[in-house]
Amino acid sequence: MKNSIKKLYKRLALTTGLGLCFMGCVNMDLTPSDQAASGAVWGNATMAEQSVNGVYNMLYYGYNDAWLGWWDTWSYMMDLDANWVGGFGSLLGNNTSTNDRASTRWWQVYYAGIFRANDVIENMPNVPNMDESERSRLVSEARFLRSWWYYRLNALYGNIPYYTKALTSTDDTKNAKQCTQDEMWANLVTDLTLCIEDKNLPDKYSSSDDNYGHITKGAAYALRGIVYMWQKQWQKAINDFQSVKDCGYKLYTGSGTNSYKQLFKLANEHCDEMIFSIQCTDKDNGSSSHQKNHFYGSRCLPNDGSGVGLGWTNYIVNPRFVDSYENADGSPFNWDDYIPGYSSMTPKARAVYFYRDGLTDSEYANAEKNGADMSKYLKSGNEARILKAYSNRDPRLGASVVTPYSIYSGGISGVATNYTYRFPYRTLNAPTYDYATDITAMAYYTNRKFVGEGMELIVNYSPVDLPLIRYGQILLLWAEALNEAGQTDEAVNKVNEVRNRAGAQPLNSNTYTQVAGKDDLKQRIMKESHWELLAEDVVFFDELRWKTWKDLKFATTDDNGAVNGMSQWWGKVTYSYKWGGDNYWILPIPANAVQIDHLTQNPGYN
Amino acid sequence: MIKKILFLFFAVFAFTAYAQNGNITGKVKDANDEPLIGVSVILKGSTTGVMTDLYGNFSLKGKVGDVVQFSFIGMVSQERTFNGTPILVTMKEDPKVLDEVVVVGYGTQKKVNLTGSVSTVDFKDQALSRPVTTVANALSGMAAGLNIMTTGSKPNEESASVSIRGIGTLNTSSPLILVDGMEMSLNQINPNDIATISILKDAASCAIYGNRAANGVILVTTKRGAMDGKISVTYSGKFSLNTPAKLIRQVSNYADYMELFNEASEGSGTATLYSQSNIDAWRAAEKDPNGISASGYPNYVAYPNTDWYDVLYNPKWMQEHSVSVVGSEKRTSYSFSTTYLNNPGIAPNSGMQKYYMRSNMESKISPFLTAGIRAWGYHTDQERNNIDNLTGTEMKKANPGTYPLYNGYYGAVASTEEDASATNPLYFIDTQDGAKKQTKFYVNPFVKIDFLKHFNFTYNFYYDNFRDEQTYYNSDYKPRMNFLSGTVTNHPATSAELAEAKVYDWRNYEQSWKSNAVLNYSQKFGGKHDVSAMGGYEEYRWWQRVIDVCKKGMVNPTLIDFNAMTTPSYLSGYTRELATRSWFGRVNYAYDSRYLFEANIRYDGSSRFAKANRWGAFPSFSAGWRISEEEFMKDLNLFDNLKLRASWGKLGNSAINSYYAYQSLYAVKNYVFGDDVNSGFGMSSFSNSNLQWETTAVTNIGLDVTTLKNRLNGTIEWYNKVTNGILYQPSLSTTLAYFTSPYQNIAEVTNRGLELTLGWQDNLRDFHYSVNANFSLNKNEVTKYKGALKRGWTNGVYSTNIGDVSTGGNQRVLEGHTINEYYMLNLYKGNGSYFNADGSVNLNGGPKDGMIRTEKDMEWLKAMVAAGYSFYPAKTIGKNGIWYGDVIYADSNGDKVYGNDNDRNFQNSSSKPKYYYGLQASANWKGFDFAMSWAGAAGFKISWWEQSLNSTRLTRCYGIGQDVANDHYFYDPENPSDPRTNINSQNTRLTIGGTAQTETSSQLWLHNGNYLKLKNLTVGYTFPSKWMQKLYVQNLRIYATGENLLTITKFKGLDPEMAAGNGYFPIRQYAFGINVTF
């Protein structure tokens, strides 16, 4: 008995010993190894520097994901297909403060970028073991990015809170003072001036520099110039744009007459014209890229994996805008010059001119049923007649838009193949190789800019940098400022730099292009901006600044009195817009922010 | 089974003496003349005793005249005086002692001695004849307070929402599930291997699990070996025809589809998409389906009218074969089993094959030392597909205008007028290829040491290893054809395309171990004082490592190994970790089996919290009074058992969906500079170092009654469960919404409820039958958050503090309301009088059900707009705004705007049922047996407005729900006699994108979800043993059974349990099976 008890204790001791070796050693201070904790980031120079990359990263939002609130669909140049893209309530007349794409998401994304920038601006100065000049440069970069997002927020929402502190708690955004638009412009001038005064910020990076893509002084001048434009401080704007030029930025002209088109190709994404662009690559499966190729493209693009082309025609180009492109000699385009009586016909009736040669009986019957005036139909000359209307225009039209009966090189068949945009659509394959959109039953203008040709881009995402500020745009702003400041001739020169590069008839070179004074030039510059900058998400902000947005976007066009909207070539409206009142010039502050942060809603919004 | 457990229990705890050579011998048998093993044989007045061996024999030292006591749990104890001859004892079952033993935390307890709230399900019978694919399914409706809804039937990914006593928290509300002591989900375990399931519902029973136990605990025990010396081999086979329980019906006639679309376009004032000639062509082809079209294909192929749900979901046979061996050899008992399951699914490529293996072994090494190991695991081969997309766009974008498959060609969109993005889901599924393999193994070695008479020590080590390996790639070229034009629309991948072709390899490795040591003490003093205590220590560690790799650049589509590919595409992965430590203890005291007391405490630490807040203590106390044991009650001879019990205790919860919630994190956020991706960090979440345990305090009062000679039994329980400091991520303002909201300890939620269980069993000669019913009621209320909602007008300005006192969106948390109560727009409800006597418009005079149906309704609406009222969200009156057949919303706050954000209201309902009920009935007679099980829930709403199903807003190329197509509002004021006119429909008019009047969440979207389901019906026959003995068969039973046979509900979506209109279809099973024991 005793013996067995002894044995038992031995065994017990052994077992508990074994047990204890598992006990008392489990560590409960666990940290993740795929994310850094805040303390770690700001105690380490390398990580602190990488946190600046995290600020830049916010630039991808809205461009590399499926959530697309691209600004050119707000401008009058482009339209959205409301069948596929919801959440744009404001364009359709129901601009409530809970609209997704129309109000809440950009607010969320821009402020996220701002807070990341604030984190850098506040914490970077205290990071140990860091080179002073680098520290200063990185803070200036963050400050520029913050200004960029504030610039857009201010233009869009009008009365916004100006947060400048790093976030520590979710209460930090509450009860903030809302600045008027003018107060915010002043804040931005102050911030951007700090950037400009930072001697550590280089004027410009060479295209092969490993740091290419970081913010430059040129970009800071450009953005401050843009802010001055909003303040109508013309001379200050002129000075800043001059400084942009002095930093070494210039127009890309390396491909001769083809330069405008080639500007947006991969080879030229680092050219001297790019002042501030989202840096893209295809090296990480699309997370550092944009998707304009995907959403602007057509079904002729390479296979998306399911047997159809990867281009979704959710965003299309507006016919009123297409019609605004001048003739090659600089004269205004007028349909009646090509097809007498065109503009007096109803959109429905004039569809006849866009039909393909040799319609089948049922195609013909459908055309008739849809209201086309088939008495004007030419069985073998219809295509040639309409082609003339597009063949002699500002070259930027052909470079930017897939127009009727033009040829587009696609890749759906696996090899570069030419497709012709005919209507009605028959087949993407032999024998006709018709150009195909999502909705082949209707005829819409689509984009060429940012869309790959042939087998150039065979995935959804595009590796080509997306310009946010480029010198061509700065030249037009510069011209506008000069014109406003009374320096008309100088202004004309700036515009002509742009027109010459594009191959358009220069101003003051013939009767059509003769500038008739300041107001005339202003009108010309505004149009020029649209032609030059289609699909770049820039002009909408100018439309707001010029106060032309309402008249352009919400103009009545249709024979039924419908308002401009997603329309077919001949002007027949599919989805029409609605102007919601003068409160529309600025967006409603998201309801959630009003409720939780206690912000005051913009007037006119319920 | 219970006896087997009893035996183990007995062997470990009750018997503490050592066998000695002696001269008192004898044999113990039961009433059936079978030897009884493990009967405690003790010399009265001493500590000397033995246990009967495998043959019921015993032998101990003693002399003539000694009194020997025989005891065995569940049997009447007996005393015999030794007269020199071997003692022969026949033990009888004690009818008074309810011998049921219940598995509780870190031990077992007699049910009669329970003071906490524990429900048990004897799973053996369930497993024997139900072809369930997941354990949760079979538990539905089986116990009061255990609320189960089946939410997914996809093979190997079956899902269910399991909750005990309502939703007490805003994060994970599923109970802690322990299978043989280790945390895992119910899906991990082979239903055939389960012996018992205990459901611990109140704090008294759960507190020993402290952390994670706030939502209740489910204890699952697998089958053990039996010490009866026999070896039995059982084969069980199940064959089940699995069919979709319900099919979604969409418009499958393409001509109808086109016409409906055109109606929606015209109604919305936009251009129509489909030409009449196209519609006519389809109609003509429909009349002559076998005619040959211009392309050479038959009309029914060239002009398709596809019903995609018919194409994709088809009945298939599932089979399961299981062999198990249970036995013992001398001092070792064992049980092992293997199961093969082949579930082909009801949709293509959704099947799986699963192989289970298990062995439990236990050996009594010496009288005081027992050691054993439980080991089990499985391997699953699941077909790799993207079937989940069938609940998403792939299925929504399928319309009848595409033929599925003909002569080896998959159909492409036929009509040139159709949107190019219309899908062929069959092609989609068939072109996804790869493998999905999951392997799990689990081992649990243990030792038990009995010492110092009243003590024993157990040590368990648990190790769990799970691997999930998935590869994925597009299959080889499969041609697609437009049968109408006769053209092949795709081509084999070119080398440029192959350069982008990817193979994905995703792996998830999870490992965990747990170590626990428990010391037990138990002693009886003075015959009436039962004291026992238990103390233990436990550590737990868990790791997860995910590796996600992708390589691109195929040489050939059939070469899918990485070696055969050219370019790494991405390499990513992450790890997650968790660690906990716990101390726990329990004390029981019982006086005379009448007064029962129990106290538990657990002290828990978790790596989920910062050091300062890491530890939490969770105590509980409970007491029971067995009134039936009192003399005055015994005299009444009315109750076989009557017990009143009460408990109070605190429980903890840390089961949030984040392992590092107290730390502010910087996620990897890269950017490109100079053509290269540069790594970067960006703030991605807020920190909250004050985060601490969420605690739940539960008060429970219960009454157990057994009466009418054990024929009627019932339990009634009331509980009050208050959860404090709920771990939750409150919704952030839009300004901060990009960042992950920090977990905070917010809000207090109270769940009060009543549970009722009633059972009746009786025999009419050899006909035995039983009926069990249970019902539970739960009232859920957020009792503290951030104050009351105040909204209203001051000085002409409307203000609301909803942003301060409430969190959420369409489902919100607000003090005084149910958790996640629906917060939506009310429909306008008027009295139909339209105008006042003076001709002015009457605010309350609009349409009675909020729908603009008649010209008068419209006239009123126009007058309202003219009088300055606006109707959100569409605002304007017209075809592309508010029109005939649209609903309007109430202006709750009186700001003249009908239906803006401030008009949203709490709807007094949530997606969680208030009532659950279940009913089981069984009967057997001369070898025939019958059983059925019903389950249901009531008192909840389902928010459902889904494109292509019940939405009247049509989207180009999306399907159209048949119900909506058959019955929707139509009225054209320019042509009131249009044959389509239907102004009384409950469904709003058809529109297409851009008209937003019905696109906002409102009462219109809320549907009654109440249901009652016949979960199972089984009929079986057991062959008489005298026939079988000749075949050396102990037992042979055949049966036929059905699962999910009937659903009674008003919900029109796919399934009220899934609370959704779409998804992998719920299955209905018709099965038969056989059980043979040799």
Side-chain angles (χ1 to χ4, degrees), chain A residues 12 162 287 375 473 569 597:
Chain A
L12 195 64
Y162 178 51
S287 57
S375 66
Q473 170 199 2
W569 292 334
D597 293 335

Side-chain angles (χ1 to χ4, degrees), chain B residues 194-224:
Chain B
I194 296 178
T196 61
I197 292 177
S198 285
I199 298 124
L200 316 185
K201 299 189 286 194
D202 69 339
S205 51
C206 293
I208 201 70
Y209 290 109
N211 67 343
R212 291 264 287 107
N215 298 314
V217 181
I218 296 178
L219 298 177
V220 179
T221 321
T222 59
K223 289 174 186 166
R224 307 279 152 87

Side-chain angles (χ1 to χ4, degrees), chain A residues 1 8-9 11-12 15-16 19 22-38 41-42 47 50-51 53-54 56-61 81 83-84 93-96 98 104 107-108 111-112 115-116 119 163 167 169-170 173 209-210 212-214 269-270 277-279 281 283 285 288 299 303 306-308 366 369 412-414 425-426 429 438-442 455 458-459 461 574-576 578 590-593 595-598 606, chain B residues 18 270-273 275-277 368-369 397 416-417 419-421 427 447 449-452 457 459 461 480 488-489 491 494 496-497 500 502 513 515 517 537 539-541 569-570 574-579 581 605-607 611 614-615 660 663-684 686 731-739 742 744 802-804 872-873 875-876 880 897 900-901 955-958 992-993 996:
Chain A
M1 185 77 186
L8 180 132
Y9 278 124
R11 285 176 203 189
L12 195 64
T15 329
T16 28
F22 292 111
M23 295 176 189
C25 43
V26 63
N27 177 17
M28 290 202 286
D29 294 311
L30 304 177
T31 48
S33 34
D34 65 331
Q35 306 186 65
S38 56
V41 168
W42 299 116
M47 285 173 102
Q50 289 175 340
S51 74
N53 301 353
Y56 279 96
N57 174 274
M58 286 306 301
L59 291 170
Y60 293 128
Y61 281 83
D81 186 345
N83 182 73
W84 290 127
N94 55 42
N95 196 9
T96 58
T98 49
T104 61
W107 178 280
Q108 174 180 327
Y111 270 115
F115 286 119
R116 280 213 182 138
D119 211 12
Y163 300 112
L167 279 177
S169 131
T170 53
T173 51
D209 196 312
D210 282 347
Y212 186 92
H214 279 277
E269 61 174 1
H270 288 183
S277 50
I278 304 179
Q279 301 296 300
T281 184
K283 285 178 185 166
N285 269 4
S288 307
R299 295 293 176 179
N303 194 332
S306 72
V308 288
N366 279 336
K369 195 164 175 14
I412 180 63
S413 62
Y425 167 84
R426 282 178 193 160
N429 305 299
D438 258 354
I439 178 165
T440 47
M442 299 195 183
M455 298 296 283
I458 63 175
V459 286
Y461 44 88
T574 307
Y575 295 101
S576 59
K578 279 178 221 158
N592 213 349
Q595 288 169 359
I596 296 177
D597 293 335
H598 307 135
N606 287 303
Chain B
Y18 303 116
T270 75
T272 57
L273 200 58
S275 63
Q276 193 57 46
S277 62
F368 57 86
L369 180 66
K397 288 169 91 165
T416 57
E417 294 177 351
D419 193 292
S421 52
Y427 174 80
V447 287
I449 299 163
D450 299 307
F451 65 101
L452 289 181
F457 172 81
Y459 178 75
F461 187 78
R480 279 185 88 170
V488 177
T489 62
H491 59 90
T494 62
E497 287 163 340
E500 283 298 324
K502 295 186 175 91
W513 59 254
S515 156
Y537 176 72
E539 284 193 347
Y540 176 70
R541 193 82 170 76
S569 178
Y570 65 83
Y574 59 87
T575 50
R576 296 282 179 266
E577 294 181 64
L578 182 66
R581 280 194 234 164
S606 166
S607 64
K611 231 171 194 159
R614 184 163 288 160
W615 292 89
Y660 314 103
Q663 307 168 56
S664 156
L665 297 177
Y666 281 60
V668 171
K669 296 286 169 188
N670 298 336
Y671 196 71
V672 174
F673 293 112
D675 274 344
D676 283 318
V677 180
N678 284 240
S679 54
F681 288 109
M683 177 182 165
S684 55
F686 282 92
S731 51
L732 296 179
S733 103
T734 311
T735 321
L736 296 177
Y738 170 82
F739 302 103
Q744 295 177 20
I802 186 118
D804 300 330
Y872 275 35
K875 293 182 183 172
T876 48
N880 59 355
V897 180
N900 67 354
D901 203 52
T955 297
R956 206 168 64 228
C957 100
Y958 274 43
I992 60 168

Side-chain angles (χ1 to χ4, degrees), chain A residues 437-450:
Chain A
T437 61
D438 258 354
I439 178 165
T440 47
M442 299 195 183
Y444 296 115
Y445 292 110
T446 63
N447 281 289
R448 281 186 196 272
K449 223 192 231 184
F450 302 119

Side-chain angles (χ1 to χ4, degrees), chain A residues 24 27 49 75 84 137 156 194 230 253 261 270 282 353 379 400 402 416 435 467 492 512 546 559 600 604:
Chain A
N27 177 17
E49 188 187 335
S75 86
W84 290 127
R137 174 174 66 83
L156 293 169
L194 281 173
W230 279 84
T253 52
K261 181 183 171 184
H270 288 183
D282 55 5
Y353 299 114
K379 191 141 192 165
S400 307
V402 185
Y435 182 83
V492 167
Y512 307 121
W546 296 324
D559 38 343
T600 306

